[in-house]
Amino acid sequence: MAEPAQVPSLVYLVTGGCGFLGEHIVRMLLEREPRLRELRVFDLHLSPWLEELKTGPVQVTAIQGDVTQAHEVAAAVAGSHVVIHTAGLVDVFGKASPQTIHRVNVQGTQNVIEACMQTGTQFLIYTSSMEVVGPNVKGHPFYRGNEDTPYEAVHRHPYPCSKALAEQLVLEANGRKVNGGLPLVTCALRPTGIYGEGHQVMRDFYNQGLRFGGRLFRAIPASVEHGRVYVGNVAWMHVLVARELEQRAALMGGQVYFCYDKSPYKSYEDFNMEFLGPCGLRLIGTHPLLPYWLLVLLATLNALLQWLLRPLVLYTPLLNPYTLAVANTTFTVSTNKAQRHFGYKPLFSWEESKARTIQWVQALEGSAW
Ligand SMILES: NC(=O)c1ccc[n+]([C@@H]2O[C@H](COP(=O)([O-])OP(=O)(O)OC[C@H]3O[C@@H](n4cnc5c(N)ncnc54)[C@H](O)[C@@H]3O)[C@@H](O)[C@H]2O)c1
Ligand SMILES: CC(C)CCC[C@@H](C)[C@H]1CC[C@H]2[C@@H]3[C@H](O)C=C4C[C@@H](O)CC[C@]4(C)[C@H]3CC[C@]12C
């Protein structure tokens, strides 16, 4: 006998749903979650494209709100079956103060957890990050590691510190009783460097290349491997976890999963050139054009300039001591934990991921960016 038609009955909430990853999660849910009755998109800044999503069969509710405001979070969470919490300040460039990063990423996550407890929402998926693990302050490489690989996760920068604290809150909340007496089931997903349509850093590299006559100048040794993952596969993993978490709560609850796909291991710059090259840019140099000590000096000068200019203007270059250190430290993952625990397989091949990203960069040419 055919399966009874699944009556759309579920309410999902995506915090940060208007961001780079959030938008892909929202669109993926509408395309691939047939049980959805309502999709709530909660964000500090609502995007115009949300309006076009309101014409479909699923009720799309746009909620302008701030995760640091507990009452706003509780109102958005109330009545939802699943919360995907991806809102956050992804700042390694000094745009926000350490206090603000902590308030949004840590206190905001605590507010989401408390809202689930108070309103009886049982399932919470948190978008964590590779940076919860590393690279650490000692610059230790993490080479083709997995969720169980021993690694000294020691951080000083506000962003990785905030992600580590937030992830810990989410995992510790697993099993606590929500209103109504049922257990909260949580898990955390750790993407490595996400790329794809809408990636701001990729835009910055592209615009920098255009400013230098189509040339980018190598600053990172080609031997330093960085793990990257396509945004569509990260979104797909979120959708899959949200679907499987109820049936596999005993196995998946309180777990962390790296987000991965078949994207090749390359240096950060060489990987970017997979997309920027076909769009006319050239990476000059087979080795870094400047010695590392000079890059450290330039990065330090950038940090000093940022501090001096802050009362007048926000100066946030790509190169600073932290980004230089991260870029120069190998960090790649090799795991199949997500496949073993909930049957994850990348939705997009490397070829498809590459083609989609190139198409997006090419469309940037005439854009206002
Ligand atoms: N981009 C990456 O490479 C990457 C890698 C690993 C993990 N992550 C994580 O993925 C998540 C999304 O990252 P992204 O790259 O899409 O960033 P993004 O900045 O594009 O999206 C974040 C969204 O959160 C919203 N937001 C920020 N502060 C808020 C607040 N106080 N209240 C409500 N909404 C708020 C922003 O408006 C934005 O729409 C983050 O948690 C980040 O730590 C990103
Ligand atoms: C030599 C300099 C010009 C460095 C330029 C590259 C630099 C801006 C890149 C290199 C590595 C990038 C980070 C890495 O992909 C992982 C993450 C974790 C994620 O949670 C947020 C983004 C972040 C920090 C990337 C930011 C940009 C970085 C530092």
Side-chain angles (χ1 to χ4, degrees), residues 59-325:
Q59 179 190 335
V60 175
T61 310
I63 306 170
Q64 193 284 329
D66 185 340
V67 289
T68 66
Q69 301 303 308
H71 65 286
E72 293 180 9
V73 176
V77 169
S80 61
H81 296 86
V82 177
V83 174
I84 296 176
H85 175 41
T86 201
L89 271 185
V90 185
D91 181 22
V92 292
F93 305 107
K95 294 175 182 170
S97 69
Q99 295 76 14
T100 302
I101 292 172
H102 182 91
R103 191 165 59 248
V104 174
N105 292 355
V106 182
Q107 186 54 50
T109 300
Q110 183 59 38
N111 289 342
V112 170
I113 294 167
E114 292 301 332
C116 290
M117 312 288 289
Q118 289 160 16
T119 63
T121 295
Q122 262 201 284
F123 304 104
L124 170 59
I125 296 103
Y126 174 60
T127 311
S128 182
S129 170
M130 60 175 258
E131 292 218 347
V132 167
V133 176
N136 63 20
V137 292
K138 299 176 179 178
H140 293 161
F142 187 82
Y143 181 74
R144 316 267 171 107
N146 60 46
E147 291 84 351
D148 301 314
T149 302
Y151 185 82
E152 194 182 358
V154 179
H155 306 293
R156 267 200 298 273
H157 192 281
Y159 175 72
C161 287
S162 72
K163 294 303 288 184
L165 281 172
E167 181 187 282
Q168 187 180 359
L169 290 172
V170 169
L171 301 181
E172 287 176 351
N174 184 62
R176 287 169 55 182
K177 293 286 183 279
V178 302
N179 189 356
L182 294 172
L184 178 63
V185 186
T186 70
C187 94
L189 300 182
R190 292 172 175 169
T192 52
I194 307 175
Y195 70 94
E197 306 92 305
H199 187 211
Q200 183 57 47
V201 175
M202 186 72 72
R203 270 197 194 97
D204 295 340
F205 269 97
Y206 181 60
N207 291 334
Q208 187 172 312
L210 294 180
R211 283 197 297 272
F212 286 98
R215 290 169 300 183
L216 289 167
F217 303 94
R218 185 184 291 278
I220 306 161
S223 59
V224 177
E225 285 187 354
H226 247 254
R228 304 293 289 275
V229 60
Y230 176 59
V231 63
N233 288 323
V234 179
W236 173 234
M237 193 180 278
H238 281 74
V239 172
L240 215 46
V241 166
R243 186 184 298 171
E244 297 298 329
L245 200 51
E246 183 169 12
Q247 302 306 322
R248 306 180 190 217
L251 174 66
M252 297 172 63
Q255 293 292 326
V256 295
Y257 300 95
F258 276 119
C259 299
Y260 61 90
D261 59 19
K262 298 293 187 188
S263 301
Y265 300 119
K266 283 179 178 271
S267 80
Y268 196 83
E269 291 170 318
D270 289 304
F271 190 87
N272 286 350
M273 291 312 293
E274 291 284 342
F275 319 106
L276 302 179
C279 295
L281 298 195
R282 287 183 302 122
L283 181 61
I284 306 298
T286 53
H287 300 286
L289 298 183
L290 298 176
Y292 188 67
W293 67 265
L294 186 50
L295 283 169
V296 170
L297 178 62
L298 290 173
T300 307
L301 285 174
N302 274 343
L304 181 60
L305 257 178
Q306 181 180 83
W307 180 75
L308 290 170
L309 293 172
R310 193 173 286 276
L312 304 170
V313 67
L314 204 47
Y315 173 61
T316 57
L318 283 174
L319 176 64
N320 66 51
Y322 182 73
T323 61
L324 181 62

